[in-house]
Amino acid sequence: LGQTFQVTSQEATKLSLAFSRPPLPSAEDCRKLSEDVQNAILAVATVYYWLPKGQGTTLRKMVRDATTEVVEGMIQLTDTILNAPEESLSQEQLISTGGVWEACEQVSNLPRGEYNQAAVVSALAACLGVVKDAVEEMEHALVEGQDPYGDIMEDEELGFRGNRDTYWSEADRQLLSSCMGLMKASKACLKKVLAAVKAHGKADSPEQIAQLDDLADIANEISPSVDELALSMYPPVNPLAVRLNAAKLASVLKKVLEIAKASHVCPPSEEGWVQFLTGAVDHNMNKVKNFTQGQL
C-alpha cells in the first residue's frame, strides 16, 4: 500500500509539472500521462481490495478512508488542470497537487504490527480526544456566574443580555452537575478501555478481531451522544430533553462497559474499573432522574 501511494504521489507531480508551463504536452504525452495516472490509481484500489475482511472492519475502514482520499485528490487535480486556462499555473492546481501529496502521506499514519488492534487503539484515541474537548468546553461554560453566550454578540434572536433564557437557574445547575458526571464518566470510560486494549488487545483469532471491532463500533457512539447531551444543557434548559439525552449517553456507556467486560481485553485484573464506572453511570443517571421527576 505504501508503494502504491508513493507511485501515485509521483504521478501527481509529473502530471502537474507537465501542465505548469508552456509548451503543453502533445496528444501522445497526454495519453501516456493519463495511462500512468490511471494505473497508479488502479494499483491503490487493488491493494485495498486485497486486504482480507477477516483482518478487521476497523482496520479496513481506515485503509478505505485513506484510499478514497487519494483517489478523490487525484480526481480534483485532474479536474483543476482540465478547467484551468491554457499555459498558466493556477493557485488551485498547486493546492490540488499538495492535496494529493498530503493524502498519499497518510499511509504512514495507518496501523502497524497487530493491525486491527492498532487500528482500534487509534479509533479509541480519536474518540477520547473529541470527548475531552467537549467536557472541557462544558466545564468552562459552567463556571459560576459565567454567561454561556458571552462570546456571542447581542442580536435580535437572543435578545438582551438580561434575558433569563441566556442564563442557568440554580435548579438548572443542580441538574447539569449530574450531566457533567456522566460526561466525565464518558471520558474515564474511553480512557480505561483504550488502556485495556493497549495492554491486552490481540488480533490473533477471528474472535479477538471481532471483539475489538465491536468495541470500536460502540465507542464511536459515545462522542455524538456526549455532544447531544451538551447541546441540550445550554439555556433555556428543557429538563425532559436533558433527561432523554442523558439516558441515551448512559445506555451507550453501559453497553461499552458490557462489551469490554465480555471481551479478551478485560481479564480479572481489569474488572474493578468496569464495576466502578458502571456504578458511576447509574449514580449520575439516577440523580438526573430525581431532578427531572417533577417534569414527567
Side-chain angles (χ1 to χ4, degrees), residues 4-19:
T4 61
F5 275 38
Q6 186 178 9
V7 168
T8 303
S9 181
Q10 291 166 353
E11 291 304 327
T13 305
K14 280 166 54 180
L15 183 67
S16 192
L17 283 173
F19 289 90

Side-chain angles (χ1 to χ4, degrees), residues 3-291:
Q3 288 174 344
T4 61
F5 275 38
Q6 186 178 9
V7 168
T8 303
S9 181
Q10 291 166 353
E11 291 304 327
T13 305
K14 280 166 54 180
L15 183 67
S16 192
L17 283 173
F19 289 90
S20 63
R21 59 188 178 275
L24 292 176
S26 65
E28 177 61 24
D29 288 340
C30 283
R31 185 188 63 77
K32 181 70 169 66
L33 281 166
S34 298
E35 278 184 8
D36 290 346
V37 166
Q38 185 178 36
N39 288 337
I41 289 297
L42 285 172
V44 167
T46 300
V47 174
Y48 161 65
Y49 282 115
W50 278 346
L51 178 62
K53 292 182 180 178
Q55 287 296 317
T57 57
T58 309
L59 173 66
R60 192 173 174 83
K61 183 181 184 303
M62 286 185 176
V63 176
R64 183 183 68 219
D65 289 348
T67 302
T68 302
E69 203 173 325
V70 170
V71 176
E72 289 177 345
M74 190 65 91
I75 291 170
Q76 184 181 355
L77 173 59
T78 308
D79 282 343
T80 302
I81 290 171
L82 286 171
N83 295 322
E86 288 190 7
E87 301 184 7
S88 69
L89 178 61
S90 67
Q91 185 69 17
E92 289 78 10
Q93 183 176 331
L94 288 170
I95 293 170
S96 296
T97 307
V100 177
W101 292 343
E102 193 175 334
C104 291
E105 285 167 8
Q106 292 303 309
V107 73
S108 62
N109 297 328
L110 291 173
R112 296 284 192 274
E114 289 273 358
Y115 294 112
N116 204 53
Q117 186 259 4
V120 171
V121 164
S122 175
L124 290 172
C127 292
L128 177 59
V130 175
V131 170
K132 270 183 178 176
D133 289 344
V135 170
E136 286 171 12
E137 185 178 323
M138 187 51 66
E139 281 180 328
H140 182 66
L142 278 166
V143 170
E144 189 65 39
Q146 182 172 321
D147 173 5
Y149 297 113
D151 58 343
I152 300 175
M153 294 297 289
E154 186 177 302
D155 63 19
E156 293 177 6
E157 188 177 336
L158 280 175
F160 293 106
R161 305 270 19 104
N163 184 339
R164 64 182 179 80
D165 284 350
T166 65
Y167 292 87
W168 284 299
S169 67
E170 189 52 42
D172 289 340
R173 287 184 176 275
Q174 287 183 336
L175 171 60
L176 300 191
S177 68
S178 301
C179 294
M180 280 305 303
L182 275 177
M183 290 176 71
K184 288 177 181 177
S186 304
K187 185 173 81 168
C189 185
L190 281 169
K191 206 170 179 180
K192 287 294 189 180
V193 171
L194 174 59
V197 172
K198 282 182 178 178
H200 309 292
K202 295 187 182 301
D204 299 333
S205 69
E207 184 183 14
Q208 289 173 340
I209 289 170
Q211 288 174 350
L212 290 174
D213 284 333
D214 286 345
L215 269 175
D217 286 345
I218 189 65
N220 273 331
E221 294 182 29
I222 294 179
S223 175
S225 300
V226 166
D227 286 342
E228 284 182 31
L229 176 57
L231 284 172
S232 68
M233 289 163 66
Y234 279 92
V237 173
N238 178 338
L240 291 183
V242 171
R243 177 173 174 149
L244 176 63
N245 286 315
K248 283 183 187 174
L249 176 57
S251 175
V252 171
L253 293 177
K254 295 285 284 287
K255 193 70 178 170
V256 171
L257 293 167
E258 285 171 18
I259 290 174
K261 187 177 180 180
S263 76
H264 70 280
V265 306
C266 195
S269 60
E270 301 285 346
E271 288 179 2
W273 62 262
V274 174
Q275 190 174 350
F276 174 79
L277 285 174
T278 301
V281 171
D282 286 337
H283 173 72
N284 283 293
M285 191 59 225
N286 286 334
K287 284 173 72 176
V288 170
K289 288 178 180 176
N290 290 337
F291 282 127

